[in-house]
Amino acid sequence: MSSSRRSKFEIWSEVLEFCLRTKRTQTWLLRETRLKTSAIRETLQFLLSRNLIEQVNEDDITKYRTTERGEEVLKRFYTLVNDYFDLNTSK
Amino acid sequence: MEKIKNEKNGLIQSQKSLYIRLKRINQLFKIHFSSLILFFLLAAGFAILWAYLLFTGQASTGIAQRYGLFGTIVTIFMTVVLSLLIIQIGIQIIFYGLFIIRGNRSLKQAKGSKEKENTLYDGIVPFISNFYAFFNRFSKEKTTLVKLVRTFLFLNFFSGFFVILLSSRFLDPVNTNFLINIFRVTLFLSVLCFWLMNLITSSKIKKEIVKWEKLFPKLEEWAQELERLSSKNSILIDEEEPQ
């Protein structure tokens, strides 16, 4: 990834979550994730190639939406954090 | 259709429990931050009172009369420790401030996005990212965030302990008027109360940071899993893709 200060899991999970409820444009994601244009393009390309987000064209505007597969992957992310804390609390 | 609905519900459920957990963590940081600010203000008030008593000769005279040269040394020591206490609390306020502002913003975003019972949250991942950024900012080769928080806890304990011990033992001016005496006692008890509160929240935060320190590598593993994921294979893979 181009952004050296942020890790992959942060960027990917953030984009997946942002596109979960509503379709988002690249500009919106660029503003919210505070990434460079090249980094957000790279991220979107990566997630598209893994079929985790899909491209939707609305009035000649390209938007992105998390796919079912992306939802599943994101759910695993949440479960990972939840399970980790459950495990540590029960100790 | 039913399956999709159930999957969506599962996602909402995971988000909900995580949101509650993150909210609790954020609450802990907020309590700690508030106690730091109040402790800072009280310590500053204590310093002003101490300076007033010193300049009017009500503190040092009493101590010097009772303990001689030792009293003068204690007066200097008390002044130094009190200054150190104020400085280190000030540093901690700056240290936690930015993190709390960002964390609050993420959780507000999540709360705002949750208008209906069965809708999804925004802002959970940004909170985790904020924690990760906070964690990374202070984690260098030699120091880690845990070490830094431990140092703060240590400084809080010792500087607070000496200020409270010395002021309870020596700040006993017989010449001051009744109002100043009441003010002194109230201030002393408040400093003691917030010092204890601060120690409790500091140790809880330390425990929390230790947990997060161990969690982040697991999230990195999650990212590696995504890298291994192809557009066609199953949703989650546990082993390496054949080359």
Side-chain angles (χ1 to χ4, degrees):
Chain A
M1 253 331 95
S2 312
S3 178
S4 57
R5 284 171 63 223
R6 299 186 66 192
S7 80
K8 289 169 184 174
F9 84 78
E10 281 182 84
I11 301 167
W12 295 341
S13 55
E14 213 167 285
V15 172
L16 284 174
E17 192 185 78
F18 281 143
C19 300
L20 198 60
R21 276 187 346 130
T22 343
K23 290 163 247 171
R24 308 287 191 190
T25 59
Q26 187 180 300
T27 320
W28 192 93
L29 290 169
L30 198 68
R31 196 183 57 231
E32 289 299 312
T33 54
R34 294 190 207 100
L35 287 172
K36 288 177 190 167
T37 315
S38 58
I40 195 75
R41 269 195 201 139
E42 216 176 308
T43 304
L44 291 172
Q45 201 52 50
F46 172 83
L47 295 173
L48 279 169
S49 73
R50 260 84 181 160
N51 206 10
L52 299 172
I53 55 167
E54 60 187 354
Q55 218 168 338
V56 184
N57 286 313
E58 266 185 12
D59 306 323
D60 287 338
I61 300 166
T62 309
K63 290 185 178 178
Y64 299 91
R65 181 173 55 196
T66 306
T67 60
E68 270 182 46
R69 195 183 199 199
E71 284 180 13
E72 197 60 34
V73 160
L74 194 61
K75 193 180 154 188
R76 180 159 159 74
F77 180 86
Y78 295 141
T79 315
L80 208 68
V81 184
N82 265 326
D83 287 353
Y84 180 80
F85 280 105
D86 283 339
L87 207 72
N88 277 277
T89 319
S90 63
K91 268 182 187 174
Chain B
M1 190 67 189
E2 192 65 30
K3 194 183 169 225
I4 294 169
K5 203 181 165 187
N6 283 342
E7 276 172 8
K8 207 86 167 174
N9 283 342
L11 189 67
I12 292 170
Q13 209 53 44
S14 316
Q15 279 197 329
K16 201 177 172 185
S17 55
L18 195 52
Y19 174 73
I20 293 166
R21 207 179 289 273
L22 298 181
K23 212 174 147 188
R24 211 174 293 147
I25 294 167
N26 198 48
Q27 198 68 27
L28 173 68
F29 273 92
K30 268 161 64 175
I31 292 169
H32 182 62
F33 189 67
S34 311
S35 79
L36 275 175
I37 288 183
L38 285 167
F39 193 33
F40 180 81
L41 293 174
L42 287 169
F46 209 88
I48 292 167
L49 179 68
W50 176 248
Y52 169 77
L53 292 174
L54 276 180
F55 283 117
T56 52
Q58 295 176 63
S60 57
T61 319
I63 295 167
Q65 271 172 2
R66 251 185 283 173
Y67 304 99
L69 180 65
F70 177 65
T72 314
I73 293 167
V74 166
T75 308
I76 296 166
F77 185 64
M78 170 78 177
T79 312
V80 171
V81 172
L82 192 57
S83 315
L84 278 176
L85 178 74
I86 293 169
I87 292 167
Q88 67 101 1
I89 297 171
I91 292 170
Q92 283 191 61
I93 290 171
I94 299 165
F95 178 75
Y96 288 112
L98 195 65
F99 168 74
I100 287 169
I101 291 167
R102 284 186 184 164
N104 268 344
R105 200 188 297 150
S106 311
L107 287 186
K108 266 185 192 157
Q109 189 184 347
K111 197 182 173 188
S113 70
K114 187 94 174 89
E115 292 133 356
K116 291 175 194 167
E117 193 57 37
N118 289 325
T119 51
L120 295 155
Y121 287 94
D122 272 347
I124 291 177
V125 176
F127 184 87
I128 298 172
S129 299
N130 178 36
F131 212 111
Y132 187 69
F134 175 61
F135 183 83
N136 266 358
R137 201 177 308 136
F138 299 101
S139 292
K140 305 278 179 285
E141 263 180 48
K142 285 180 183 169
T143 12
T144 59
L145 186 60
V146 182
K147 274 187 189 168
L148 206 61
V149 173
R150 209 172 280 157
T151 311
F152 281 145
L153 184 63
F154 176 82
L155 286 172
N156 258 1
F157 177 77
F158 278 100
S159 51
F161 176 78
F162 279 117
V163 167
I164 285 161
L165 179 84
L166 294 173
S167 55
S168 67
R169 192 79 189 85
F170 300 108
L171 192 67
D172 185 24
V174 278
N175 300 330
T176 48
N177 63 38
F178 178 71
L179 270 177
I180 287 183
N181 239 355
I182 292 285
F183 181 61
R184 183 185 62 82
V185 172
T186 316
L187 205 59
F188 172 75
L189 291 174
S190 312
V191 167
L192 181 69
C193 172
F194 280 101
W195 175 64
L196 289 173
M197 188 177 162
N198 208 257
L199 287 181
I200 295 166
T201 49
S202 280
S203 62
K204 281 190 174 179
I205 280 178
K206 196 199 83 194
K207 275 183 198 163
E208 206 60 56
I209 288 171
V210 169
K211 276 190 217 167
W212 282 88
E213 189 182 37
K214 287 175 187 163
L215 171 70
F216 289 128
K218 291 194 183 295
L219 298 181
E220 297 279 6
E221 278 173 28
W222 173 86
Q224 282 165 13
E225 267 182 25
L226 286 202
E227 277 180 313
R228 293 203 299 267
L229 205 71
S230 79
S231 61
K232 281 175 190 166
N233 65 8
S234 64
I235 288 173
L236 292 166
I237 51 164
D238 293 315
E239 56 221 14
E240 288 278 342
E241 254 184 48
Q243 297 295 310

